[in-house]
Amino acid sequence: MTKPKKIFVTRNIPEIAFKMLKDKGYEVELGKYKVPPTNKDLIKFFKARVKKGTQYDAILTLLTDQVDGALLDSVGSQLQIVSNYAVGYNNINLGDAKKRGVEVTNTPGAFSDCIAEHTVAMIFALTTRLVEADRYVRAGKYKGWDPMIFIGSDLCGKTVGILGAGHIGERVAKHLGKGFDMPVLYYDVKRNETLEKEYGAIFCETPEEIYKKADIISLHVPLLPSTHHMINEKTLKMMKSTAILINTARGPVVDEVALVDALKKGTIAGAGIDVYEFEPKLAKGLAKLDNVVLTPHIASARTSARDEMAVLAAQNIIDVFEGRVPKGKVEIK
Ligand code: DGY
């Protein structure tokens, strides 16, 4: 009798994933980590398991798990797939996986609408000064109606600039372009026809054009060497002093120290940040600023999205085990 496939899931995710895998007769083990384990913690764990004779055929990782060659080696030669429970896969060394013949998958398209909605929520929170006003009321500072307090800014007539025109950028363009009649500019290495034809978005040849012209700049690029610190002191200085920057993509796309400086000096007006350069740590001074709205990497935190991600992550494993090309296959060049 052939041994059942073994899968290690680093941290808890929706039950549906466990059910799908167990229904196939696989053995599924859940890590006991309450906070994200380090790369070293995981290597230590896998080595101990191998010593006791346990090898995994698949590991289901989260975006906080740093997967490199040493980690892949520690799991053992049986490993077929790293199924990442995320759209982004910058936590995985793709070259190392390719060298070892290990498939890498992600969960594309699972929550584009959630992230787009979170982006819009952050924009509104900043233009209406919602979070600041909430803090003010809770602190007992509200002493009666005052026509001069918490003056926000209008969205109408403002231009939104989208950097990265994948599924998420496309949804942001739809919500803001169609819903709020905002002119939409976008930049990507590839042109996006849907964005142009359906949402009237205008393609910019360079990101600089966006920095200079947009009132709201929203980041939807993956983290790559070419996008690391794409937003830095120089690019922040190109933006309007009234500009708002939203980052729901990946923290290191923004030089956070430069951002704090720009927000303090009024180089730009505000920022909505869901992801941090050194997550979960924040750059010094960021949390003290009133012109920022900060959330703990929750742009995709909805039951529907989390469940869809779980289904995709589990299905990717099933597909690999059953010899099919998984929907979330990451093409490694
Ligand atoms: C992802 O999956 O890449 C997102 O950052 C989760 O919110």
Side-chain angles (χ1 to χ4, degrees), residues 95-117:
D96 285 355
K98 189 177 180 186
K99 252 189 240 156
R100 289 159 181 81
V102 175
E103 186 94 60
V104 175
T105 59
N106 69 342
T107 56
F111 46 66
S112 308
D113 271 316
C114 296
I115 307 237
E117 284 170 20

Side-chain angles (χ1 to χ4, degrees), residues 63 85-88 111 115 249-250 297 300 306 309:
L63 58 89
Y85 181 81
V87 169
F111 46 66
I115 307 237
R250 280 293 179 268
H297 203 152
S300 65
R306 292 284 184 253
M309 289 165 77

Side-chain angles (χ1 to χ4, degrees), residues 125-201:
L126 287 156
T127 55
T128 61
R129 302 181 62 184
L130 199 90
V131 180
E132 254 184 284
D134 176 88
R135 279 196 292 258
Y136 175 88
V137 174
R138 285 171 200 270
K141 291 182 182 165
Y142 182 44
K143 303 294 179 210
W145 191 71
D146 183 339
M148 300 312 285
I149 59 169
F150 292 104
I151 309 296
S153 52
D154 298 319
L155 261 196
C156 240
K158 297 275 165 65
T159 297
V160 60
I162 292 171
L163 291 159
H167 293 292
I168 301 169
E170 204 176 288
R171 306 309 284 173
V172 173
K174 180 182 175 207
H175 294 324
L176 296 178
K178 284 210 146 175
F180 296 93
D181 261 343
M182 292 175 74
V184 180
L185 305 176
Y186 83 98
Y187 169 80
D188 200 318
V189 285
K190 270 200 311 229
R191 282 181 89 134
N192 178 327
E193 268 191 35
T194 314
L195 234 134
E196 292 182 33
K197 287 199 182 130
E198 293 193 22
Y199 314 132

